[in-house]
């Protein structure tokens, strides 16, 4: 059975939550689809429509990507190696979150 694609309202909730997590509030944009004539800021509805389009077209491909295993890696270890996280510039930040 194929997964049911999310509705626009469900995507809006996900998009707003992801943006809020990094400090972006879409309510600061003008309502509607028209850009603000003074600042040129795009309308809230236009931004959400663009982000929904991106989510529907790209997130599945991005989440399905698995880094290739190094050459010569046995097949039974390739999946395990692909699950390793990429090195972080400041790993103490990640360990602080993980160990809390």
């Amino acid at each position: 059975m194929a997964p049911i694609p999310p509705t626009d309202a469900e995507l809006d909730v996900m998009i707003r939550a992801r943006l809020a997590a990094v400090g972006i509030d879409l309510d600061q944009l003008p309502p509607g689809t028209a850009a603000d004539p003074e600042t040129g800021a795009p309308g809230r509805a236009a931004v959400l429509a663009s982000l929904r389009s991106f989510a529907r077209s790209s997130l599945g491909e991005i989440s399905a990507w698995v880094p290739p295993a190094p050459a010569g890696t046995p097949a039974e270890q390739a999946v395990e190696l692909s699950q390793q996280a990429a090195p972080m510039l400041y790993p103490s930040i990640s360990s602080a979150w993980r160990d809390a």
Side-chain angles (χ1 to χ4, degrees):
M1 187 168 134
I4 299 170
T7 65
D8 284 356
E10 291 169 335
L11 279 176
D12 287 352
V13 169
M14 186 270 302
I15 290 166
R16 285 179 174 275
R18 297 287 297 197
L19 291 175
V22 294
I24 299 172
D25 181 11
L26 288 181
D27 291 331
Q28 299 297 312
L29 295 173
T33 57
D36 185 314
E38 292 181 26
T39 64
R44 189 177 318 139
V47 170
L48 278 171
S50 177
L51 291 172
R52 279 192 305 267
S53 174
F54 170 78
R56 285 195 171 102
S57 66
S58 303
L59 293 183
E61 293 177 30
I62 292 170
S63 66
W65 182 80
V66 176
T73 302
E76 60 273 5
Q77 293 178 346
V79 172
E80 295 166 356
L81 287 174
S82 71
Q83 300 300 316
Q84 292 183 352
M88 296 181 69
L89 184 58
Y90 300 107
S92 62
I93 295 170
S94 174
S95 61
W97 293 333
R98 192 176 50 239
D99 298 336

